[in-house]
Amino acid sequence: MSAFAFPSSPGRTFEEFLRKSEQIKDERLAAAIPREYFVPRVWRGLLGFAVSWALYIGAIVAMAFAPHWLLYLPLLVVAGLGGWGLHCIAHDCGHGSFSRSRRFNFAIGHISLLPLIYPFHAWRHVHNMHHAHTNNLELDTDWKPMPAAMYERMPFWEKLIYHGTRTWAFWGGTINYWRVSGFRPSFFPKKEMRRDVRRSIWFVVAVSAVYFPVLVYFTGIRGLLLYFVAPWLATHAWFSATTLMHHSASDVPYLTSDYWTKNAGRLLLTVDYMYPKWLLFLTHNISVHTAHHVAPPVPFYNLPKAQEALKKAYPGMVREEKLRLSRLWHIIRRLHFYDTESGFYTDFSGRPVPPGGEKEPARAEKVKEAA
């Protein structure tokens, strides 16, 4: 039984979603993906690991020798892309798809998240919560919108963070998740989780205790800011933009427990963006996200083939669209609150966002007049 009776007045788009959800409720979705796509090739994963480290370190070294500060910004974009690629490698490690060895996965995962100073097990456990409850209004941990009435009851500081990370500071959304759960073992409900997180925290602290003093000794505070903090922020910008776009669209609902099903969370609630081939390679197919939600053990280099198998088995149910910056702009401009009436989104002014479109629905004017 849900804690909320939302949406109170679902429209045709929501009803159509429920029909699709009911259609696949008892399906074994992962069975549509050939078993050979689940087999990891360690050399291929290590190639991705090496490429991302080369991007990250190469861009930082290039900044150290750059003839002019105007080159810093493009180099930071590249460093952030390398750091984000490393996170995508850790992503496979967290799901056990990097190799068959649990210890090797955890070792590579810890090393891959060092540019973010993110304790691997803290990220792994909170990310698995997202997978278990994707777009569940009550239980998801990633980019969950809240009703406006709930926002109004929040403390000022929490309001500021929510408002900022939904608009001008969207790039800091994952920094906030890092702040909330990265160094707090008590955030996690199980004893084993808390033990894992403490171990990861000690690893990050130990590496930081060696690396940061050395970096400051040789490059000063300016070096710390330029060669670590700035790439850290750039990596979070890639992290935030990508994850925000995966599950945010005006026609992708968040669901209360009364309506949410595991298969809907896996197949129907992800937006996949068609990246250029070079960006797919450097981000390790992270945008092929529906196949990943359906079958997390599929290694990143097999996701495009797994996606094609899903599209063939479930025509019209995998959401794909061309990557456009205008889509991110629409999200940060309009998709802010959960609309308790429709089940989709409203913006900060209280105007409902029409599912699938930019224009205001007729009832938006009625809302404004009533206000």
Side-chain angles (χ1 to χ4, degrees), residues 128-149:
N128 284 336
M129 292 179 188
H130 162 64
H131 267 264
H133 308 289
T134 304
N135 278 48
N136 184 305
L137 184 66
E138 298 155 71
L139 299 172
D140 198 356
T141 55
D142 287 10
W143 295 105
K144 179 175 62 179
M146 65 176 57

Side-chain angles (χ1 to χ4, degrees), residues 41 67-68 88 90 96 100 105 109 121 125 129 135 137 156 160 189 194 200 214 249 275 297 343 348 352 356:
R41 303 193 302 276
H68 198 281
C88 296
R100 294 295 193 200
N105 289 338
H121 286 305
H125 288 310
M129 292 179 188
N135 278 48
L137 184 66
F156 172 77
L160 185 64
R194 295 191 291 272
S200 289
V214 171
Y275 287 6
F348 276 123

Side-chain angles (χ1 to χ4, degrees), residues 94-141:
H95 287 292
S97 58
F98 191 84
S99 78
R100 294 295 193 200
S101 168
R102 184 177 174 89
R103 287 187 177 182
F104 189 61
N105 289 338
F106 288 175
I108 295 294
H110 277 84
I111 295 168
S112 296
L113 287 185
L114 283 176
L116 285 174
I117 307 299
Y118 212 137
F120 171 74
H121 286 305
W123 170 81
R124 179 173 73 92
H125 288 310
V126 81
H127 180 68
N128 284 336
M129 292 179 188
H130 162 64
H131 267 264
H133 308 289
T134 304
N135 278 48
N136 184 305
L137 184 66
E138 298 155 71
L139 299 172
D140 198 356
T141 55

Side-chain angles (χ1 to χ4, degrees), residues 239-250:
F239 191 175
S240 295
T242 304
T243 55
L244 175 61
M245 293 174 73
H246 276 160
H247 302 289
S248 302
S250 55

Side-chain angles (χ1 to χ4, degrees), residues 61-370:
V61 170
M63 281 195 293
F65 294 96
H68 198 281
W69 63 266
L70 286 175
L71 293 173
Y72 290 168
L73 184 58
L75 288 170
L76 282 172
V77 172
V78 175
L81 179 56
W84 173 232
L86 286 167
H87 181 281
C88 296
I89 294 295
H91 185 250
D92 262 34
C93 294
H95 287 292
S97 58
F98 191 84
S99 78
R100 294 295 193 200
S101 168
R102 184 177 174 89
R103 287 187 177 182
F104 189 61
N105 289 338
F106 288 175
I108 295 294
H110 277 84
I111 295 168
S112 296
L113 287 185
L114 283 176
L116 285 174
I117 307 299
Y118 212 137
F120 171 74
H121 286 305
W123 170 81
R124 179 173 73 92
H125 288 310
V126 81
H127 180 68
N128 284 336
M129 292 179 188
H130 162 64
H131 267 264
H133 308 289
T134 304
N135 278 48
N136 184 305
L137 184 66
E138 298 155 71
L139 299 172
D140 198 356
T141 55
D142 287 10
W143 295 105
K144 179 175 62 179
M146 65 176 57
M150 190 177 295
Y151 171 82
E152 290 301 327
R153 294 195 295 269
M154 290 169 61
F156 172 77
W157 177 246
E158 294 299 323
K159 278 186 181 179
L160 185 64
I161 292 173
Y162 184 89
H163 191 286
T165 55
R166 291 279 166 176
T167 52
W168 64 272
F170 74 90
W171 46 267
T174 53
I175 297 175
N176 185 49
Y177 294 134
W178 172 80
R179 175 188 71 89
V180 169
S181 63
F183 292 86
R184 285 178 57 202
S186 61
F187 180 86
F188 300 93
K190 296 181 179 180
K191 181 179 179 180
E192 295 80 6
M193 291 180 173
R194 295 191 291 272
R195 180 197 61 207
D196 289 344
V197 171
R198 281 192 289 269
R199 289 174 177 173
S200 289
I201 290 172
W202 279 115
F203 174 77
V204 166
V205 169
V207 172
S208 300
V210 174
Y211 177 66
F212 289 140
V214 171
L215 181 63
V216 171
Y217 180 81
F218 285 105
T219 67
I221 296 299
R222 178 180 179 274
L224 175 66
L225 296 175
L226 186 60
Y227 306 139
F228 174 76
V229 176
W232 181 80
L233 291 171
T235 301
H236 270 293
W238 281 96
F239 191 175
S240 295
T242 304
T243 55
L244 175 61
M245 293 174 73
H246 276 160
H247 302 289
S248 302
S250 55
D251 56 348
V252 172
Y254 272 76
L255 303 165
T256 62
S257 296
D258 284 341
Y259 294 111
W260 186 88
T261 65
K262 284 186 177 181
N263 277 356
R266 290 166 177 164
L267 188 65
L268 301 178
L269 294 170
T270 299
V271 183
D272 295 344
Y273 291 91
M274 293 177 283
Y275 287 6
K277 288 184 178 180
W278 64 270
L279 189 55
L280 270 177
F281 176 74
L282 295 178
T283 57
H284 313 302
N285 294 322
I286 194 66
S287 70
V288 187
H289 211 60
T290 299
H292 168 68
H293 268 272
V294 168
V298 173
F300 68 84
Y301 36 84
N302 288 337
L303 286 174
K305 293 185 292 185
Q307 185 94 320
E308 290 304 313
L310 280 176
K311 287 161 64 176
K312 184 177 180 181
Y314 301 100
M317 293 200 179
V318 175
R319 298 171 50 89
E320 291 181 328
E321 63 177 82
K322 187 177 180 180
L323 178 65
R324 302 190 305 270
L325 286 178
S326 61
R327 178 55 59 197
L328 177 60
W329 171 244
H330 175 60
I331 291 170
I332 62 178
R333 187 173 65 92
R334 296 296 312 278
L335 307 189
H336 302 145
F337 288 141
Y338 173 81
D339 183 1
T340 58
E341 183 177 346
S342 70
F344 294 99
Y345 280 94
T346 64
D347 64 19
F348 276 123
S349 70
R351 294 175 298 173
V353 180
E358 297 265 353
K359 293 182 179 179
E360 298 290 328
R363 73 182 182 91
E365 295 303 321
K366 295 180 182 179
V367 171
K368 290 169 70 177
E369 288 173 9

